């Protein structure tokens, strides 16, 4: 309140301005003198330091005098009974009170806004279960092996008894139009394919495994995904790049990066990645995706399975799906109006949606 009284801030500001002008004049001795003084300190020792201390004491004395002057003015105001205050003093106290309340309110509002932003950020990122950690406030994810939840199945004839999911996606219509994938090479970067499975009809043309050690009976996701591709395009050639398993010379992220580049070298037209990479992003992965895009290769990626069940919130750590060079595919159910699967991640980068619940496909 005292600082906003009529006479006090004026006198204080004039005093401070005088000090600034005085210091500016002192500093006007040129930078060469300042540098010389610094060198003198290094050579002369205590002599130059005592000069600096003297100048510092002089400056502090002036500040103390100014503060004492302000204090005397404040004391003079407060010593009077409010009924004896002048109109100017009353106005100063009133204005000071107003600005004090305004400052407190602004601080409170800022705290509330920051708190809300923090809660919203946690809400948008909530529900992710893909090895999510927090290091110094930053979200991190470790790459995880995709898996299939198994249930009772039966024999599939890719000519007469196609699964419902691929039929809903128009597999029969495509075949009727002669669009069977002939001459197209599809790379599957995943957990490996059981190339000897009779359901593939010999269409797994190449295998390049960067990681292994885990039996395909456990790492069955790659075979499952490849089965769906084969049902949709039975004459497309499948190229198997395995990036998951207990053993390998490179980790999963770098295996993915190398697989992308190898698929391009092998002449693949499409790369399927039903996976997500680690976050923060390994630079080699980002570079490989850009390289494939520059070669005109289509990269089809899963939007992610760590959604929070609310399609209106954004999951922000699903890569490579979120990059503009790739196509991001979310999951929907086989039901009326094709509702979004509860686990499917959502964000503005999702391009398409496909059947992703109770999918019937091949198993090793």
């Amino acid at each position: 309140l005292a600082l906003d009284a009529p006479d006090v801030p004026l006198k204080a500001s004039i005093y401070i301005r005088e000090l600034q002008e005085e210091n500016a004049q002192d500093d006007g001795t040129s930078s060469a003198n300042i540098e010389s003084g610094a060198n003198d300190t290094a050579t002369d020792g205590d002599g130059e330091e005592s000069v600096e201390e003297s100048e510092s004491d002089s400056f502090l004395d002036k500040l103390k005098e100014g503060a004492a002057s302000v204090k005397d003015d404040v004391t003079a105001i407060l010593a009077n009974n409010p009924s004896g205050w002048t109109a100017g003093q009353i106005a100063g106290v009133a204005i000071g009170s107003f600005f004090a309340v305004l400052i407190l309110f602004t601080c409170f509002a800022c705290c509330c806004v920051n708190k809300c932003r923090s809660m919203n950020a946690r809400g948008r990122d909530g529900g992710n279960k893909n090895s999510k950690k927090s290091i110094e406030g930053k979200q991190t994810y470790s790459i995880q092996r995709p898996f299939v939840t198994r249930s009772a199945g039966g024999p599939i004839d890719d000519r007469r008894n196609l699964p419902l999911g691929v039929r809903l996606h128009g597999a029969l219509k495509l075949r009727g139009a002669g669009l069977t994938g002939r001459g197209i090479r599809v790379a599957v970067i995943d957990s490996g394919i059981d190339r000897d499975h009779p359901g593939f009809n010999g269409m797994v043309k190449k295998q390049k495994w960067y990681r292994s050690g885990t039996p395909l009976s456990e790492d069955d996701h790659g075979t499952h995904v490849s089965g769906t591709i084969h049902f949709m395009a039975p004459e497309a050639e499948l190229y198997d790049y395995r990036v998951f398993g207990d053993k390998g010379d490179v980790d999963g992220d770098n295996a993915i990066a190398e697989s992308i580049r190898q698929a391009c070298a092998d002449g693949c037209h499409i790369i399927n990645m039903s996976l997500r990479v680690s976050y923060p992003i390994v630079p080699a992965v980002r570079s490989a995706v850009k390289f494939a895009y520059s070669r005109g290769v289509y990269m089809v990626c899963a939007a992610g399975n760590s959604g929070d069940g609310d399609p209106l919130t954004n999951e922000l750590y699903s890569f490579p799906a979120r990059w503009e060079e790739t196509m991001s595919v979310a999951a929907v159910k086989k039901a009326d109006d094709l509702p979004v699967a509860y686990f499917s991640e959502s964000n503005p980068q999702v391009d398409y949606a496909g059947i992703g619940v109770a999918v019937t496909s091949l198993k090793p």
Side-chain angles (χ1 to χ4, degrees), residues 254-270:
N254 284 289
I256 291 170
E258 292 188 26
S259 295
I260 293 172
R261 292 183 177 274
Q262 186 61 51
C264 293
D266 290 337
C268 291
H269 305 91
I270 301 170

Side-chain angles (χ1 to χ4, degrees), residues 60-102:
L60 289 176
D61 289 340
K62 292 178 181 180
L63 283 179
K64 290 178 181 178
E65 292 174 5
S69 177
V70 171
K71 181 180 178 181
D72 291 341
D73 291 331
V74 172
T75 303
I77 292 176
L78 298 179
N80 294 327
N81 188 289
S83 61
W85 286 359
T86 65
Q89 291 173 335
I90 294 174
V93 172
I95 293 172
S97 300
F98 170 77
F99 280 105
V101 172
L102 181 61

Side-chain angles (χ1 to χ4, degrees), residues 37-53:
N39 292 333
D40 291 342
T41 302
T43 54
D44 296 341
D46 296 337
E48 183 63 30
E49 290 177 3
S50 64
V51 173
E52 292 178 355
E53 289 176 0

